[in-house]
Amino acid sequence: MDMGKFNTKYMAKNAVLSVIAFLLMLLEIPLWFTPEFLKMDLSDLPAVIAAFAMGPIAGIIVESIKVILKIGITSTATAGVGELANFLVGSIFSVTAAIIYRKNRNKKNILLGLIAGTVVMSVVASILNYIVLLPFYSKAYGLPLTVIVDMAKSLNSYVVDLRTFIAFGIFPFNIFKGIILTIITYAIYTRVRTSIEID
């Protein structure tokens, strides 16, 4: 393969998918069981497509560029915590899914990769939120964690403290997001994979 042509295709596809990811990141969808600051978007879709087509690193590149564009163009409403969480969780999802798919590139592994990505993403996001992200968000805004928990408690009767917020808010949020991403990605990628993969 002509490496110059390979690199040009790689960069061009990453650039296009990054812009699409950025635009999708702007379309935030509130969910009925999570507080205002925790909204769903589908910006991980282009990242996982990039990871499937060009390797896990491409997925991370798309995730990083979309976040840089988001902060640079629209700024941040969460002191960067939301964008950091979006990058970390999205990267975990796309990399996990791509590692499984690229071992044997068939439709079965697309689905297995997406399911594994959903599970790993949800578990890791829960741990990160409990240990790092929510405490950092609390300090950045000078809000006690109890205030954040109360925001979730008003929407979800199962939430009584930080641990239950993670268990009944953060974890199901990411499971729900992963299911939606799995359905959409599988529907799209099974149709375009032969034309988009470059290595």
Side-chain angles (χ1 to χ4, degrees):
M1 179 184 289
D2 184 333
M3 289 307 296
K5 186 180 292 185
F6 175 90
N7 289 333
T8 301
K9 287 183 178 180
Y10 185 91
M11 290 187 291
K13 288 181 179 181
N14 266 304
V16 171
L17 289 167
S18 296
V19 172
I20 294 171
F22 161 66
L23 295 174
L24 288 173
M25 196 176 183
L26 300 178
L27 303 175
E28 297 179 318
I29 306 164
L31 298 180
W32 66 95
F33 59 90
T34 59
E36 177 69 18
F37 65 85
L38 194 61
K39 295 179 181 177
M40 189 181 81
D41 65 64
L42 299 177
S43 63
D44 298 325
L45 173 62
V48 75
I49 288 175
F52 277 164
M54 296 173 282
I57 298 300
I60 295 173
I61 290 171
V62 170
E63 291 285 353
S64 62
I65 292 175
K66 78 169 185 188
V67 167
I68 291 169
L69 289 173
K70 169 69 166 56
I71 294 174
I73 295 174
T74 68
S75 73
T76 175
T78 60
V81 178
E83 288 77 15
L84 175 62
N86 191 290
F87 167 75
L88 292 173
V89 173
S91 294
I92 290 164
F93 176 74
S94 59
V95 167
T96 302
I99 287 172
I100 292 173
Y101 167 65
R102 290 174 70 84
K103 286 182 178 179
N104 188 359
R105 302 183 199 185
N106 54 41
K107 290 183 178 181
K108 178 183 176 182
N109 273 14
I110 293 174
L111 186 58
L112 288 176
L114 291 166
I115 292 171
T118 296
V119 173
V120 174
M121 170 183 72
S122 301
V123 171
V124 174
S126 297
I127 295 169
L128 286 175
N129 271 282
Y130 185 77
I131 296 174
V132 179
L133 297 172
L134 286 175
F136 185 80
Y137 183 82
S138 172
K139 288 182 179 179
Y141 277 90
L143 288 173
L145 280 172
T146 52
V147 173
I148 296 173
V149 170
D150 286 341
M151 292 168 65
K153 191 187 300 184
S154 66
L155 298 170
N156 189 337
S157 60
Y158 291 104
V159 175
V160 296
D161 56 19
L162 182 58
R163 288 185 180 181
T164 52
F165 176 38
I166 299 297
F168 299 109
I170 300 294
F171 184 78
F173 169 85
N174 283 289
I175 287 288
F176 181 80
K177 179 178 179 178
I179 290 171
I180 299 300
L181 285 169
T182 294
I183 293 169
I184 298 173
T185 304
Y186 186 83
I188 293 173
Y189 201 74
T190 51
R191 289 166 173 79
V192 304
R193 66 193 178 106
T194 56
S195 61
I196 195 173
E197 292 181 6
I198 62 172
D199 65 335

Coordinates of all heavy atoms in Angstrom, one line a residue, residues 44 48 52 89-98 100 110-126 170-185:
D44 N -19.9 9.8 20.6 CA -19.0 8.6 20.5 C -19.2 7.8 19.3 O -18.3 6.9 19.0 CB -19.1 7.8 21.8 CG -18.8 8.6 23.1 OD1 -17.9 9.4 23.0 OD2 -19.5 8.3 24.1
V48 N -16.2 5.5 17.6 CA -16.1 4.1 17.5 C -16.0 3.6 16.0 O -15.4 2.6 15.7 CB -17.3 3.4 18.2 CG1 -18.6 3.5 17.5 CG2 -17.0 1.9 18.5
F52 N -13.1 1.3 14.7 CA -13.3 0.1 13.9 C -12.6 0.1 12.6 O -11.9 -0.9 12.2 CB -14.8 -0.1 13.6 CG -15.6 -0.7 14.8 CD1 -17.0 -0.6 14.8 CD2 -15.0 -1.4 15.8 CE1 -17.8 -1.2 15.8 CE2 -15.8 -2.0 16.8 CZ -17.1 -1.9 16.8
V89 N -14.6 8.5 28.9 CA -15.6 7.4 28.8 C -15.8 7.0 27.3 O -15.9 5.8 27.0 CB -17.0 7.9 29.4 CG1 -18.1 6.9 29.1 CG2 -16.8 8.1 30.9
G90 N -15.8 8.0 26.4 CA -15.9 7.7 25.0 C -14.7 6.9 24.5 O -14.9 6.0 23.6
S91 N -13.5 7.3 24.9 CA -12.3 6.5 24.5 C -12.3 5.1 25.0 O -12.0 4.2 24.2 CB -11.1 7.3 25.0 OG -10.9 8.5 24.5
I92 N -12.8 4.9 26.2 CA -12.8 3.5 26.8 C -13.8 2.7 25.9 O -13.6 1.5 25.6 CB -13.3 3.6 28.2 CG1 -12.1 4.1 29.1 CG2 -13.7 2.2 28.7 CD1 -12.6 4.6 30.5
F93 N -15.0 3.3 25.6 CA -16.0 2.6 24.8 C -15.4 2.2 23.4 O -15.5 1.0 23.0 CB -17.2 3.5 24.6 CG -18.3 2.9 23.8 CD1 -19.1 1.8 24.2 CD2 -18.5 3.4 22.5 CE1 -20.0 1.3 23.4 CE2 -19.5 2.9 21.7 CZ -20.3 1.8 22.1
S94 N -14.9 3.2 22.7 CA -14.4 2.9 21.3 C -13.2 2.0 21.3 O -13.1 1.1 20.4 CB -14.1 4.2 20.6 OG -13.2 5.0 21.3
V95 N -12.3 2.2 22.2 CA -11.1 1.3 22.2 C -11.4 -0.1 22.5 O -11.0 -1.1 21.9 CB -10.0 1.9 23.2 CG1 -8.9 0.8 23.4 CG2 -9.4 3.2 22.7
T96 N -12.3 -0.3 23.6 CA -12.7 -1.7 23.9 C -13.4 -2.4 22.8 O -13.1 -3.5 22.4 CB -13.6 -1.7 25.2 OG1 -13.0 -1.0 26.2 CG2 -14.0 -3.1 25.6
A97 N -14.3 -1.7 22.2 CA -15.1 -2.3 21.0 C -14.1 -2.6 19.9 O -14.3 -3.7 19.3 CB -16.2 -1.3 20.6
A98 N -13.2 -1.7 19.6 CA -12.3 -1.9 18.4 C -11.3 -3.0 18.6 O -11.0 -3.8 17.7 CB -11.6 -0.6 18.1
I100 N -11.8 -5.8 20.2 CA -12.5 -7.0 20.0 C -12.8 -7.2 18.5 O -12.6 -8.3 17.9 CB -13.7 -7.1 20.9 CG1 -13.3 -7.2 22.3 CG2 -14.6 -8.3 20.5 CD1 -14.5 -7.1 23.3
I110 N -18.4 -7.1 15.6 CA -18.9 -5.8 15.8 C -19.8 -5.7 17.0 O -19.7 -4.8 17.9 CB -19.7 -5.3 14.5 CG1 -18.7 -5.2 13.3 CG2 -20.3 -3.9 14.8 CD1 -19.4 -4.9 12.0
L111 N -20.8 -6.6 17.0 CA -21.8 -6.6 18.1 C -21.1 -7.0 19.5 O -21.4 -6.3 20.5 CB -22.9 -7.7 17.8 CG -24.0 -7.7 18.8 CD1 -24.7 -6.3 18.9 CD2 -25.1 -8.7 18.4
L112 N -20.2 -8.0 19.5 CA -19.6 -8.4 20.7 C -18.7 -7.2 21.2 O -18.7 -6.9 22.4 CB -18.7 -9.6 20.5 CG -19.4 -10.9 20.3 CD1 -18.4 -12.0 20.0 CD2 -20.2 -11.3 21.6
G113 N -18.0 -6.5 20.3 CA -17.2 -5.4 20.7 C -18.0 -4.3 21.3 O -17.6 -3.7 22.3
L114 N -19.1 -4.0 20.7 CA -20.0 -2.9 21.2 C -20.6 -3.2 22.6 O -20.7 -2.4 23.4 CB -21.1 -2.6 20.2 CG -20.6 -1.9 18.9 CD1 -21.7 -2.0 17.8 CD2 -20.2 -0.5 19.1
I115 N -21.0 -4.5 22.7 CA -21.5 -4.9 24.0 C -20.5 -4.8 25.1 O -20.7 -4.3 26.2 CB -22.1 -6.4 23.9 CG1 -23.4 -6.4 23.0 CG2 -22.4 -6.9 25.3 CD1 -23.9 -7.7 22.7
A116 N -19.3 -5.3 24.8 CA -18.2 -5.3 25.7 C -17.8 -3.8 26.0 O -17.6 -3.5 27.2 CB -16.9 -6.0 25.2
G117 N -17.8 -3.0 25.0 CA -17.5 -1.6 25.2 C -18.5 -0.9 26.1 O -18.2 -0.1 27.0
T118 N -19.8 -1.3 26.0 CA -20.8 -0.7 26.9 C -20.6 -1.1 28.3 O -20.7 -0.3 29.2 CB -22.2 -1.2 26.4 OG1 -22.5 -0.7 25.1 CG2 -23.3 -0.8 27.3
V119 N -20.3 -2.4 28.6 CA -20.1 -2.9 29.9 C -18.9 -2.2 30.6 O -18.9 -1.7 31.7 CB -20.0 -4.4 29.9 CG1 -19.6 -4.9 31.3 CG2 -21.3 -5.0 29.5
V120 N -17.8 -2.2 29.8 CA -16.5 -1.7 30.4 C -16.7 -0.2 30.6 O -16.3 0.4 31.6 CB -15.3 -2.0 29.4 CG1 -14.1 -1.2 29.9 CG2 -15.1 -3.5 29.3
M121 N -17.3 0.5 29.6 CA -17.5 2.0 29.8 C -18.3 2.3 31.0 O -18.0 3.2 31.8 CB -18.2 2.5 28.5 CG -18.7 3.9 28.6 SD -19.6 4.5 27.2 CE -21.2 3.5 27.3
S122 N -19.4 1.5 31.2 CA -20.3 1.8 32.4 C -19.6 1.6 33.7 O -19.8 2.3 34.6 CB -21.5 0.9 32.2 OG -22.2 1.2 31.0
V123 N -18.8 0.5 33.8 CA -18.1 0.2 35.0 C -17.0 1.2 35.3 O -17.0 1.8 36.4 CB -17.5 -1.2 35.0 CG1 -16.6 -1.5 36.2 CG2 -18.6 -2.3 34.9
V124 N -16.2 1.5 34.3 CA -15.1 2.5 34.5 C -15.7 3.9 34.8 O -15.1 4.6 35.6 CB -14.2 2.5 33.3 CG1 -13.1 3.6 33.4 CG2 -13.5 1.1 33.2
A125 N -16.7 4.3 34.1 CA -17.3 5.6 34.3 C -17.8 5.7 35.7 O -17.7 6.8 36.3 CB -18.5 5.8 33.3
S126 N -18.4 4.6 36.2 CA -18.9 4.7 37.6 C -17.7 4.9 38.6 O -17.8 5.7 39.5 CB -19.6 3.3 37.9 OG -20.8 3.2 37.1
I170 N -25.4 7.1 37.5 CA -24.3 7.1 36.5 C -24.2 5.8 35.8 O -24.1 5.8 34.5 CB -22.9 7.3 37.3 CG1 -22.9 8.7 38.0 CG2 -21.8 7.2 36.3 CD1 -23.0 9.9 37.1
F171 N -24.3 4.7 36.5 CA -24.2 3.4 35.8 C -25.3 3.1 34.8 O -25.0 2.8 33.6 CB -24.2 2.2 36.9 CG -23.9 0.9 36.3 CD1 -22.7 0.5 35.8 CD2 -25.0 0.0 36.1 CE1 -22.5 -0.8 35.3 CE2 -24.8 -1.3 35.5 CZ -23.5 -1.6 35.1
P172 N -26.6 3.3 35.2 CA -27.6 3.1 34.2 C -27.6 4.1 33.0 O -28.0 3.8 31.9 CB -28.9 3.2 35.0 CG -28.6 3.8 36.2 CD -27.2 3.5 36.5
F173 N -27.2 5.3 33.3 CA -27.0 6.3 32.3 C -26.1 5.8 31.2 O -26.4 5.9 30.0 CB -26.4 7.6 32.9 CG -26.0 8.7 31.9 CD1 -26.9 9.6 31.4 CD2 -24.7 8.7 31.5 CE1 -26.5 10.5 30.4 CE2 -24.3 9.7 30.6 CZ -25.2 10.6 30.0
N174 N -24.9 5.3 31.6 CA -23.9 4.8 30.6 C -24.4 3.5 30.0 O -24.1 3.3 28.8 CB -22.6 4.7 31.3 CG -21.9 6.0 31.5 OD1 -21.5 6.6 30.5 ND2 -21.8 6.4 32.7
I175 N -25.1 2.6 30.7 CA -25.7 1.4 30.1 C -26.7 1.9 29.0 O -26.6 1.3 27.8 CB -26.3 0.5 31.1 CG1 -25.3 -0.1 32.0 CG2 -27.2 -0.5 30.4 CD1 -24.5 -1.2 31.3
F176 N -27.5 2.8 29.3 CA -28.5 3.3 28.3 C -27.8 3.9 27.1 O -28.2 3.6 26.0 CB -29.5 4.3 29.0 CG -30.5 4.8 28.1 CD1 -31.7 4.1 27.9 CD2 -30.4 6.1 27.5 CE1 -32.7 4.6 27.0 CE2 -31.4 6.6 26.7 CZ -32.5 5.8 26.5
K177 N -26.9 4.7 27.4 CA -26.1 5.4 26.3 C -25.4 4.3 25.4 O -25.5 4.4 24.2 CB -25.1 6.3 26.9 CG -24.2 7.0 25.8 CD -23.2 8.0 26.5 CE -22.3 8.7 25.4 NZ -21.4 9.6 26.1
G178 N -24.8 3.3 26.1 CA -24.1 2.2 25.3 C -25.1 1.4 24.5 O -24.7 1.0 23.3
I179 N -26.3 1.2 25.0 CA -27.3 0.4 24.2 C -27.7 1.2 22.9 O -27.7 0.6 21.8 CB -28.5 0.1 25.0 CG1 -28.1 -1.0 26.1 CG2 -29.7 -0.4 24.2 CD1 -29.2 -1.2 27.2
I180 N -27.9 2.5 23.1 CA -28.3 3.3 22.0 C -27.2 3.4 20.9 O -27.4 3.2 19.7 CB -28.7 4.7 22.4 CG1 -29.9 4.7 23.4 CG2 -29.0 5.6 21.2 CD1 -31.1 4.1 22.8
L181 N -25.9 3.6 21.4 CA -24.8 3.6 20.5 C -24.6 2.3 19.8 O -24.2 2.2 18.6 CB -23.5 4.0 21.3 CG -23.4 5.5 21.7 CD1 -22.2 5.6 22.7 CD2 -23.1 6.3 20.5
T182 N -24.8 1.2 20.5 CA -24.6 -0.1 20.0 C -25.6 -0.4 18.8 O -25.2 -0.8 17.7 CB -24.9 -1.2 21.0 OG1 -23.8 -1.2 22.0 CG2 -24.9 -2.6 20.4
I183 N -26.9 0.0 19.0 CA -27.9 -0.2 18.0 C -27.6 0.6 16.8 O -27.6 0.1 15.6 CB -29.3 0.2 18.5 CG1 -29.7 -0.8 19.6 CG2 -30.3 0.2 17.4 CD1 -30.9 -0.4 20.4
I184 N -27.2 1.9 17.0 CA -27.0 2.8 15.8 C -25.7 2.4 15.1 O -25.6 2.3 13.9 CB -26.9 4.3 16.3 CG1 -28.3 4.7 16.9 CG2 -26.5 5.2 15.1 CD1 -28.3 6.1 17.5
T185 N -24.6 2.1 15.9 CA -23.3 1.8 15.3 C -23.4 0.5 14.5 O -22.9 0.4 13.4 CB -22.2 1.7 16.4 OG1 -22.2 2.9 17.1 CG2 -20.9 1.4 15.7

